[in-house]
Amino acid sequence: HVADAHRTDLMTITRFVLNEQSKHPESRGDFTILLSHIVLGCKFVCSAVNKAGLAKLLGLAGETNVQGEDQKKLDVLSNEVFIKALVSSGRTCILVSEEDEEATFVEPAKRGKYCVVFDPLDGSSNIDCGVSIGTIFGIYMMKDAHEPTLDDVLQPGKNMLAAGYCMYGSSCTLVLSTGKGVNGFTLDPSLGEFILTHPDIKIPKKGKIYSVNEGNAKNWDGPTSKYVENCKFPKDGSSPKSLRYIGSMVADVHRTLLYGGIFLYPADKKSPNGKLRVLYEVFPMSFLMEQAGGQAFTGKQRALDLVPKKIHDRAPIFLGSYDDVEEIKRLYAAEEKN
Ligand code: P6P
């Protein structure tokens, strides 16, 4: 029935968000305008990533072009596209990007009330071998109408108004939540529109897959080691879980969201706060997981309750199916007691 709807009643992401926003009588369309600029950035990156394979011929990003000029690397190019799109939307006041050491404060003339945190091209080290990569983003409302400061983006993830990712893989899929569930949209290149293809995504309560970089096992703490051991040698006689690890967060999280299971990037002796960044990796993915009926845990607390101190803070993360994350919470709680 989605195919039929696609044929005649095009539910584009813009229409979908307009419908959702129209339920807020006070909304003036600012959020819809902001989102349409994020969508524009995703369409651009999708096109650039798909051409990346031909880069040598076309002299596109990351290569030297026919004039021998160094083209920008895709992640740098993507960052510039998103910064420009977000500033030109006239709806943002602060931008935090994985690519930029400092936050971008939008000039007063173009300022709006939203703060956007994003990783323009997460997993970009995987581009050359064709593995799916993605853009991850989260949206806060500035704390109150004043001169914007970093405090406006150092908010707990639970304060986010929306979060999402766009995965550049065999198809270009944008997964979004504005706090009322999770919906997935697939880019129809012939229309240049994202069409609703995955309405109201719910993650299975329990999964059969665990997703972690086993290469770090030497450095894991007790609870993580015990949890992974239980995945491989279940004590209750159930069948072992399968290991699936792509090493590109958007791809691993997208599979977890659709198939169920758990994604882990734990702390370890080398990196006591894990590797993944709080604002634009941990928070958006945790927001989506909770909205889809799953949960997200840092080893100490609910991930969305964390209050970042710096814009590039890292945190350990365990996210996915409700029951699977519950299991790791039990192991950390037991460790607390000892
Ligand atoms: P590791 C990619 O570099 C990334 O930031 C995430 O997309 C991915 O989940 C993680 O790092 C992979 O890290 O240490 O397993 O290679």
Side-chain angles (χ1 to χ4, degrees):
H1 67 287
V2 174
D4 297 345
H6 183 177
R7 257 195 289 278
T8 57
D9 179 22
L10 282 184
M11 182 48 83
T12 64
I13 191 166
T14 308
R15 232 188 100 195
F16 185 88
V17 171
L18 268 173
N19 285 353
E20 271 197 345
Q21 293 307 307
S22 63
K23 290 164 195 154
H24 297 274
E26 77 286 354
S27 87
R28 299 196 334 260
D30 290 332
F31 182 80
T32 306
I33 289 168
L34 170 62
L35 213 99
S36 66
H37 284 76
I38 291 175
V39 166
L40 176 68
C42 293
K43 288 178 185 174
F44 176 92
V45 174
C46 175
S47 159
V49 164
N50 288 346
K51 286 183 198 135
L54 296 171
K56 288 197 188 344
L57 297 180
L58 306 179
L60 289 181
E63 303 292 332
T64 54
N65 64 16
V66 284
Q67 288 81 16
E69 292 146 0
D70 274 346
Q71 294 302 297
K72 291 187 177 69
K73 282 181 68 60
L74 265 185
D75 43 9
V76 173
L77 188 73
S78 306
N79 186 49
E80 286 179 11
V81 165
F82 276 108
I83 295 277
K84 289 197 175 92
L86 289 166
V87 169
S88 67
S89 76
R91 295 324 188 265
T92 62
C93 56
I94 302 179
L95 308 176
V96 170
S97 167
E98 192 268 348
E99 287 291 327
D100 296 330
E101 193 49 43
E102 303 303 326
T104 298
F105 286 81
V106 180
E107 58 182 285
K110 293 191 174 164
R111 219 170 258 174
K113 59 191 177 187
Y114 295 108
C115 311
V116 182
V117 295
F118 64 100
D119 188 343
L121 203 55
D122 182 83
S124 50
S125 56
N126 292 297
I127 290 180
D128 294 345
C129 63
V131 164
S132 298
I133 52 180
T135 297
I136 311 171
F137 62 90
I139 301 172
Y140 291 108
M141 177 82 81
M142 69 188 296
K143 276 183 166 168
D144 44 58
H146 60 187
E147 193 57 21
T149 70
L150 280 185
D151 283 347
D152 292 305
V153 285
L154 296 175
Q155 301 188 50
K158 63 189 169 191
N159 290 4
M160 282 189 172
L161 298 177
Y165 59 80
C166 188
M167 186 172 77
Y168 311 109
S170 50
S171 62
C172 179
T173 305
L174 200 156
V175 172
L176 172 71
S177 173
T178 62
K180 293 185 283 296
V182 180
N183 290 279
F185 304 81
T186 304
L187 183 64
D188 177 335
S190 67
L191 293 174
E193 290 285 359
F194 280 97
I195 306 295
L196 178 67
T197 48
H198 296 71
D200 195 23
I201 299 173
K202 290 293 176 211
I203 184 169
K205 195 163 179 304
K206 193 165 177 48
K208 300 188 179 65
I209 296 170
Y210 75 104
S211 185
V212 69
N213 183 342
E214 286 263 12
N216 297 333
K218 184 165 62 71
N219 300 316
W220 290 338
D221 64 17
T224 292
S225 305
K226 269 197 208 93
Y227 179 77
V228 173
E229 188 67 10
N230 290 345
C231 289
K232 297 196 268 196
F233 305 97
K235 295 200 173 20
D236 60 4
S238 58
S239 46
K241 288 190 190 298
S242 293
L243 170 61
R244 293 282 184 277
Y245 192 68
I246 303 167
S248 176
M249 188 184 197
V250 172
D252 279 317
V253 168
H254 189 59
R255 183 209 51 250
T256 305
L257 183 66
L258 295 187
Y259 295 0
I262 186 168
F263 172 81
L264 313 88
Y265 207 106
D268 64 36
K269 294 179 196 106
K270 278 187 319 178
S271 356
N273 287 320
K275 170 183 184 182
L276 299 178
R277 307 284 183 170
V278 174
L279 278 182
Y280 40 78
E281 288 175 321
V282 171
F283 278 170
M285 298 314 206
S286 301
F287 186 97
L288 289 167
M289 281 298 162
E290 288 199 1
Q291 285 291 318
Q295 55 178 332
F297 178 62
T298 67
K300 291 194 175 69
Q301 65 186 108
R302 176 193 177 215
L304 292 181
D305 286 344
L306 200 60
V307 180
K309 292 184 182 54
K310 292 199 175 323
I311 58 173
H312 297 297
D313 275 0
R314 300 170 194 264
I317 186 68
F318 306 86
L319 58 75
S321 293
Y322 193 90
D323 290 357
D324 292 327
V325 178
E326 205 55 27
E327 183 51 38
I328 197 120
K329 283 167 71 174
R330 245 196 299 278
L331 289 165
Y332 272 97
E335 155 118 344
E336 275 294 292
K337 281 205 196 82
N338 300 346

